[in-house]
Amino acid sequence: MIIYARNYTPEARDIYASLLSAMQANGIKPKVCGSLYDNFITDGLATANDMLPLEPVLTSSSARAMLSVGGDGTFLESAKKALMTDIPILGVNKGRLGFLSDLQSSQIPWAVGELIRGSYRVANLDVLSVYAGDQREPLDYALNEFSVSKCDNSSMLTIHAYIDGDYLTTYWADGLIVATATGSTAYSLSVGGPIAFPSTPSFIITPIAPHNLSIRPIVVPNNVAIKLVVEGRGPKILTSMDGRTHLMENNMQFRIGKSPFSVRRIELEGHSFFATLRDKLMWGADRRNYKTE
Protein backbone atom coordinates (compact mmCIF):
# COMPACT_ATOMS: atom_id res chain seq x y z
CA MET A 1 0.00 0.00 0.00
CA ILE A 2 1.04 3.60 -0.59
CA ILE A 3 0.78 6.49 1.86
CA TYR A 4 0.64 9.81 0.03
CA ALA A 5 0.41 13.40 1.31
CA ARG A 6 1.50 16.81 0.09
CA ASN A 7 3.80 17.30 3.06
CA TYR A 8 4.30 16.31 6.66
CA THR A 9 2.23 18.29 9.14
CA PRO A 10 2.73 17.78 12.89
CA GLU A 11 -0.99 18.21 13.60
CA ALA A 12 -1.65 15.10 11.53
CA ARG A 13 0.86 12.98 13.48
CA ASP A 14 -1.88 10.84 15.03
CA ILE A 15 -3.29 10.06 11.57
CA TYR A 16 0.12 8.98 10.26
CA ALA A 17 0.76 6.94 13.41
CA SER A 18 -2.61 5.19 13.08
CA LEU A 19 -1.95 4.32 9.44
CA LEU A 20 1.52 2.95 10.15
CA SER A 21 0.34 1.01 13.19
CA ALA A 22 -2.57 -0.58 11.32
CA MET A 23 -0.31 -1.60 8.45
CA GLN A 24 2.42 -2.97 10.70
CA ALA A 25 -0.18 -4.98 12.64
CA ASN A 26 -1.18 -6.60 9.36
CA GLY A 27 2.36 -7.25 8.17
CA ILE A 28 2.33 -4.55 5.51
CA LYS A 29 5.41 -2.51 4.67
CA PRO A 30 3.94 0.62 3.05
CA LYS A 31 5.51 2.72 0.35
CA VAL A 32 5.74 6.32 1.55
CA CYS A 33 6.12 9.42 -0.63
CA GLY A 34 9.35 11.36 -0.25
CA SER A 35 7.85 14.29 1.65
CA LEU A 36 6.80 11.92 4.43
CA TYR A 37 9.48 9.23 4.45
CA ASP A 38 12.24 11.24 6.14
CA ASN A 39 9.82 12.97 8.51
CA PHE A 40 8.44 9.65 9.72
CA ILE A 41 11.96 8.59 10.66
CA THR A 42 12.86 11.96 12.23
CA ASP A 43 9.64 12.04 14.26
CA GLY A 44 10.09 8.48 15.48
CA LEU A 45 6.97 7.15 13.77
CA ALA A 46 8.82 4.48 11.78
CA THR A 47 12.24 3.20 10.82
CA ALA A 48 13.68 2.48 7.40
CA ASN A 49 12.91 -1.19 8.07
CA ASP A 50 9.19 -0.44 8.47
CA MET A 51 8.59 1.20 5.09
CA LEU A 52 9.87 1.79 1.59
CA PRO A 53 10.37 5.06 -0.33
CA LEU A 54 7.81 5.55 -3.08
CA GLU A 55 9.22 5.25 -6.59
CA PRO A 56 8.94 8.36 -8.80
CA VAL A 57 6.85 6.67 -11.50
CA LEU A 58 4.01 4.34 -10.54
CA THR A 59 2.81 1.31 -12.45
CA SER A 60 -0.21 -0.91 -11.90
CA SER A 61 2.00 -3.35 -9.98
CA SER A 62 3.36 -0.71 -7.60
CA ALA A 63 0.72 -1.26 -4.92
CA ARG A 64 -2.72 -2.65 -4.15
CA ALA A 65 -4.04 0.74 -3.03
CA MET A 66 -3.04 4.34 -2.35
CA LEU A 67 -4.13 6.14 0.81
CA SER A 68 -4.26 9.88 0.19
CA VAL A 69 -3.95 11.81 3.47
CA GLY A 70 -5.31 15.36 3.27
CA GLY A 71 -8.27 17.10 1.72
CA ASP A 72 -9.76 16.95 -1.74
CA GLY A 73 -6.80 18.88 -3.16
CA THR A 74 -4.44 16.14 -2.00
CA PHE A 75 -6.75 13.51 -3.49
CA LEU A 76 -6.52 15.31 -6.84
CA GLU A 77 -2.71 15.22 -6.60
CA SER A 78 -2.87 11.51 -5.79
CA ALA A 79 -5.13 10.97 -8.80
CA LYS A 80 -2.66 12.76 -11.04
CA LYS A 81 0.17 10.55 -9.75
CA ALA A 82 -1.85 7.36 -10.23
CA LEU A 83 -3.15 8.25 -13.71
CA MET A 84 -2.89 5.45 -16.25
CA THR A 85 -2.41 2.83 -13.52
CA ASP A 86 -5.03 0.56 -11.96
CA ILE A 87 -4.16 1.68 -8.42
CA PRO A 88 -7.34 2.64 -6.55
CA ILE A 89 -7.27 5.55 -4.13
CA LEU A 90 -8.80 5.95 -0.67
CA GLY A 91 -8.98 9.50 0.68
CA VAL A 92 -8.22 9.99 4.40
CA ASN A 93 -9.62 13.34 5.45
CA LYS A 94 -7.50 15.82 7.37
CA GLY A 95 -8.78 18.76 5.36
CA ARG A 96 -12.03 20.67 5.57
CA LEU A 97 -14.79 19.70 3.15
CA GLY A 98 -13.75 16.27 1.97
CA PHE A 99 -16.04 15.07 -0.82
CA LEU A 100 -13.33 12.83 -2.25
CA SER A 101 -11.45 12.31 1.02
CA ASP A 102 -14.19 11.31 3.41
CA LEU A 103 -12.56 8.64 5.62
CA GLN A 104 -12.20 9.93 9.17
CA SER A 105 -9.07 9.25 11.24
CA SER A 106 -11.01 7.14 13.78
CA GLN A 107 -11.89 4.69 10.99
CA ILE A 108 -8.32 4.02 9.83
CA PRO A 109 -7.70 0.64 11.59
CA TRP A 110 -11.02 -0.68 10.28
CA ALA A 111 -10.39 0.70 6.79
CA VAL A 112 -6.95 -0.92 6.50
CA GLY A 113 -8.53 -4.25 7.49
CA GLU A 114 -11.22 -3.81 4.84
CA LEU A 115 -8.59 -3.07 2.20
CA ILE A 116 -6.64 -6.20 3.09
CA ARG A 117 -9.81 -8.33 2.93
CA GLY A 118 -10.87 -6.71 -0.33
CA SER A 119 -14.13 -5.59 1.24
CA TYR A 120 -14.67 -2.48 -0.82
CA ARG A 121 -16.07 -1.20 -4.09
CA VAL A 122 -14.15 0.68 -6.76
CA ALA A 123 -15.80 3.56 -8.60
CA ASN A 124 -14.32 4.49 -11.96
CA LEU A 125 -14.36 8.28 -12.26
CA ASP A 126 -14.16 10.13 -15.58
CA VAL A 127 -11.06 12.15 -16.41
CA LEU A 128 -10.97 15.09 -18.84
CA SER A 129 -8.30 15.36 -21.53
CA VAL A 130 -7.64 18.97 -22.57
CA TYR A 131 -5.93 19.91 -25.84
CA ALA A 132 -4.81 23.44 -26.72
CA GLY A 133 -4.72 24.67 -30.31
CA ASP A 134 -3.61 21.97 -32.72
CA GLN A 135 -1.72 19.96 -30.12
CA ARG A 136 -1.90 16.20 -30.50
CA GLU A 137 -0.81 15.56 -26.93
CA PRO A 138 -3.04 16.73 -24.05
CA LEU A 139 -2.13 19.95 -22.30
CA ASP A 140 -3.19 18.30 -19.04
CA TYR A 141 -5.77 16.05 -17.44
CA ALA A 142 -8.44 16.83 -14.88
CA LEU A 143 -10.57 14.71 -12.57
CA ASN A 144 -12.73 17.63 -11.37
CA GLU A 145 -12.77 20.35 -13.99
CA PHE A 146 -11.15 22.44 -16.68
CA SER A 147 -11.76 26.18 -16.47
CA VAL A 148 -10.78 29.17 -18.56
CA SER A 149 -11.02 32.69 -17.19
CA LYS A 150 -9.66 36.20 -17.58
CA CYS A 151 -6.43 36.70 -15.68
CA ASP A 152 -6.65 40.42 -14.88
CA ASN A 153 -9.24 43.17 -14.52
CA SER A 154 -9.87 43.40 -18.24
CA SER A 155 -13.33 43.07 -19.73
CA MET A 156 -15.09 39.74 -19.94
CA LEU A 157 -14.19 36.92 -22.29
CA THR A 158 -16.10 35.84 -25.37
CA ILE A 159 -16.22 32.04 -25.49
CA HIS A 160 -17.73 30.24 -28.48
CA ALA A 161 -18.76 26.69 -27.52
CA TYR A 162 -19.32 23.71 -29.84
CA ILE A 163 -20.54 20.19 -29.01
CA ASP A 164 -19.41 17.53 -31.50
CA GLY A 165 -18.95 20.33 -34.02
CA ASP A 166 -22.46 21.67 -33.45
CA TYR A 167 -22.56 25.31 -32.33
CA LEU A 168 -23.93 25.58 -28.77
CA THR A 169 -23.73 29.26 -27.86
CA THR A 170 -21.39 32.18 -27.22
CA TYR A 171 -20.71 32.99 -23.59
CA TRP A 172 -19.99 36.58 -22.57
CA ALA A 173 -18.58 35.90 -19.12
CA ASP A 174 -15.62 36.04 -16.78
CA GLY A 175 -14.95 32.45 -17.73
CA LEU A 176 -16.30 28.96 -18.29
CA ILE A 177 -16.03 25.63 -16.47
CA VAL A 178 -16.24 22.16 -17.98
CA ALA A 179 -16.68 19.74 -15.08
CA THR A 180 -16.97 15.98 -14.76
CA ALA A 181 -19.73 14.50 -12.62
CA THR A 182 -17.12 14.13 -9.87
CA GLY A 183 -16.27 17.82 -10.18
CA SER A 184 -19.92 18.86 -9.97
CA THR A 185 -19.49 19.45 -6.23
CA ALA A 186 -16.36 21.59 -6.69
CA TYR A 187 -15.84 24.87 -8.62
CA SER A 188 -18.92 24.32 -10.79
CA LEU A 189 -21.18 24.07 -7.73
CA SER A 190 -19.81 27.32 -6.29
CA VAL A 191 -20.96 29.25 -9.38
CA GLY A 192 -24.40 27.69 -9.56
CA GLY A 193 -23.89 24.41 -11.38
CA PRO A 194 -25.97 21.29 -10.65
CA ILE A 195 -24.85 18.33 -8.54
CA ALA A 196 -24.39 15.02 -10.34
CA PHE A 197 -23.78 11.56 -8.93
CA PRO A 198 -20.03 10.88 -9.48
CA SER A 199 -20.55 7.90 -11.80
CA THR A 200 -23.07 9.74 -14.00
CA PRO A 201 -21.74 9.67 -17.61
CA SER A 202 -21.93 13.41 -18.11
CA PHE A 203 -20.06 16.69 -18.31
CA ILE A 204 -21.34 19.99 -16.96
CA ILE A 205 -20.67 23.29 -18.74
CA THR A 206 -21.05 26.19 -16.30
CA PRO A 207 -20.42 29.89 -17.09
CA ILE A 208 -18.66 32.13 -14.56
CA ALA A 209 -20.52 35.42 -14.05
CA PRO A 210 -22.26 35.44 -17.45
CA HIS A 211 -23.45 38.81 -18.77
CA ASN A 212 -26.57 37.26 -20.30
CA LEU A 213 -28.80 36.18 -17.40
CA SER A 214 -30.69 33.66 -19.55
CA ILE A 215 -27.53 31.58 -19.89
CA ARG A 216 -27.60 28.58 -17.56
CA PRO A 217 -25.38 25.53 -16.92
CA ILE A 218 -25.96 22.62 -19.27
CA VAL A 219 -25.37 18.89 -18.80
CA VAL A 220 -24.08 16.95 -21.83
CA PRO A 221 -23.09 13.29 -22.35
CA ASN A 222 -19.51 12.35 -21.50
CA ASN A 223 -18.88 10.93 -24.97
CA VAL A 224 -19.03 14.27 -26.78
CA ALA A 225 -16.14 16.45 -27.93
CA ILE A 226 -16.31 20.01 -26.59
CA LYS A 227 -14.57 22.83 -28.44
CA LEU A 228 -14.08 26.28 -26.93
CA VAL A 229 -12.82 29.26 -28.91
CA VAL A 230 -11.78 31.98 -26.47
CA GLU A 231 -11.48 35.66 -27.34
CA GLY A 232 -10.72 38.62 -25.10
CA ARG A 233 -9.20 42.06 -24.96
CA GLY A 234 -6.36 41.18 -22.62
CA PRO A 235 -3.13 39.56 -23.87
CA LYS A 236 -3.43 36.47 -21.66
CA ILE A 237 -6.03 34.07 -20.34
CA LEU A 238 -5.84 31.73 -17.36
CA THR A 239 -6.64 28.04 -17.57
CA SER A 240 -6.92 25.70 -14.62
CA MET A 241 -7.10 21.92 -14.42
CA ASP A 242 -7.85 20.71 -10.89
CA GLY A 243 -6.11 23.80 -9.55
CA ARG A 244 -3.03 23.48 -11.77
CA THR A 245 -2.91 26.76 -13.66
CA HIS A 246 -1.49 27.67 -17.06
CA LEU A 247 -1.13 31.24 -18.34
CA MET A 248 -1.82 31.17 -22.07
CA GLU A 249 -2.09 33.46 -25.05
CA ASN A 250 -5.47 35.01 -25.80
CA ASN A 251 -7.58 33.87 -28.77
CA MET A 252 -6.91 30.22 -27.95
CA GLN A 253 -8.91 27.17 -28.97
CA PHE A 254 -9.41 24.20 -26.64
CA ARG A 255 -10.68 20.70 -27.21
CA ILE A 256 -12.02 18.78 -24.22
CA GLY A 257 -13.12 15.17 -24.08
CA LYS A 258 -13.22 12.03 -21.97
CA SER A 259 -9.87 10.34 -21.39
CA PRO A 260 -9.48 6.65 -22.28
CA PHE A 261 -8.55 5.96 -18.64
CA SER A 262 -10.26 6.72 -15.35
CA VAL A 263 -9.39 7.37 -11.71
CA ARG A 264 -10.31 4.45 -9.47
CA ARG A 265 -11.72 5.58 -6.12
CA ILE A 266 -12.19 3.16 -3.23
CA GLU A 267 -15.60 3.19 -1.56
CA LEU A 268 -15.91 1.40 1.78
CA GLU A 269 -19.07 -0.05 3.27
CA GLY A 270 -21.24 2.63 4.87
CA HIS A 271 -19.73 5.46 2.86
CA SER A 272 -22.07 6.93 0.27
CA PHE A 273 -22.27 10.05 -1.86
CA PHE A 274 -25.67 10.92 -0.43
CA ALA A 275 -24.40 10.69 3.14
CA THR A 276 -21.54 12.99 2.18
CA LEU A 277 -24.00 15.51 0.73
CA ARG A 278 -25.99 15.51 3.95
CA ASP A 279 -22.87 15.83 6.07
CA LYS A 280 -20.76 18.28 4.06
CA LEU A 281 -23.48 20.49 2.55
CA MET A 282 -25.81 20.28 5.55
CA TRP A 283 -28.64 18.88 3.45
CA GLY A 284 -31.66 18.32 5.63
CA ALA A 285 -30.28 20.51 8.43
CA ASP A 286 -33.80 21.36 9.51
CA ARG A 287 -35.37 20.63 12.87
CA ARG A 288 -38.32 19.00 11.11
CA ASN A 289 -35.99 16.24 9.89
CA TYR A 290 -34.88 15.20 13.36
CA LYS A 291 -36.92 12.96 15.62
CA THR A 292 -37.37 13.99 19.23
CA GLU A 293 -38.25 11.75 22.14
Side-chain angles (χ1 to χ4, degrees):
M1 293 185 189
I2 296 169
I3 301 176
Y4 182 87
R6 282 178 170 173
N7 47 53
Y8 182 83
T9 52
E11 61 269 21
R13 189 182 193 279
D14 290 345
I15 295 177
Y16 303 135
S18 182
L19 278 172
L20 291 167
S21 176
M23 291 184 183
Q24 289 168 3
N26 287 279
I28 296 173
K29 182 180 286 190
K31 295 181 178 181
V32 181
C33 67
S35 59
L36 299 182
Y37 185 87
D38 293 336
N39 289 106
F40 282 177
I41 295 175
T42 301
D43 208 10
L45 287 172
T47 68
N49 292 325
D50 300 321
M51 55 186 178
L52 298 168
L54 182 63
E55 58 263 39
V57 179
L58 299 182
T59 65
S60 296
S61 61
S62 294
R64 173 187 292 185
M66 176 185 291
L67 286 86
S68 171
V69 184
D72 285 351
T74 305
F75 189 97
L76 294 174
E77 287 187 8
S78 303
K80 175 74 172 176
K81 192 166 185 66
L83 275 182
M84 290 176 275
T85 76
D86 290 328
I87 301 173
I89 306 169
L90 176 64
V92 182
N93 188 12
K94 77 174 185 69
R96 291 170 294 179
L97 195 58
F99 270 98
L100 295 169
S101 299
D102 62 349
L103 184 75
Q104 301 306 308
S105 58
S106 60
Q107 299 173 301
I108 287 174
W110 163 77
V112 171
E114 294 292 277
L115 292 178
I116 292 172
R117 288 186 289 272
S119 300
Y120 58 86
R121 304 179 302 274
V122 174
N124 293 309
L125 306 179
D126 285 344
V127 175
L128 293 173
S129 292
V130 181
Y131 300 82
D134 295 326
Q135 290 180 346
R136 294 194 173 185
E137 294 297 322
L139 173 67
D140 205 343
Y141 302 97
L143 172 61
N144 266 357
E145 76 276 308
F146 163 78
S147 69
V148 56
S149 60
K150 60 182 186 178
C151 63
D152 51 31
N153 292 324
S154 63
S155 58
M156 68 186 74
L157 297 177
T158 302
I159 305 171
H160 310 286
Y162 301 82
I163 307 296
D164 279 345
D166 190 13
Y167 174 65
L168 172 63
T169 190
T170 295
Y171 296 92
W172 296 75
D174 283 353
L176 192 70
I177 300 166
V178 179
T180 63
T182 302
S184 70
T185 51
Y187 191 8
S188 176
L189 177 63
S190 71
V191 294
I195 294 174
F197 194 80
S199 59
T200 305
S202 61
F203 296 147
I204 301 163
I205 303 174
T206 309
I208 304 169
H211 187 259
N212 187 336
L213 296 180
S214 66
I215 291 288
R216 291 291 181 266
I218 184 171
V219 179
V220 299
N222 69 347
N223 60 353
V224 301
I226 300 171
K227 183 174 77 171
L228 304 178
V229 180
V230 184
E231 301 172 357
R233 295 182 182 178
K236 301 286 185 179
I237 57 174
L238 186 67
T239 64
S240 177
M241 281 141 280
D242 288 349
R244 301 182 299 274
T245 58
H246 300 264
L247 195 62
M248 305 190 71
E249 297 296 325
N250 201 351
N251 300 314
M252 181 64 73
Q253 177 178 305
F254 299 96
R255 292 170 289 126
I256 304 115
K258 182 179 179 294
S259 298
F261 47 82
S262 59
V263 168
R264 307 181 75 223
R265 179 175 181 258
I266 293 172
E267 296 179 346
L268 297 172
E269 188 67 33
H271 285 248
S272 76
F273 178 70
F274 302 119
T276 301
L277 284 181
R278 293 193 301 272
D279 181 39
K280 305 300 182 181
L281 295 184
M282 302 296 289
W283 278 27
D286 188 306
R287 284 183 176 273
R288 293 170 294 182
N289 290 332
Y290 295 93
K291 295 181 179 180
T292 57
E293 298 296 334

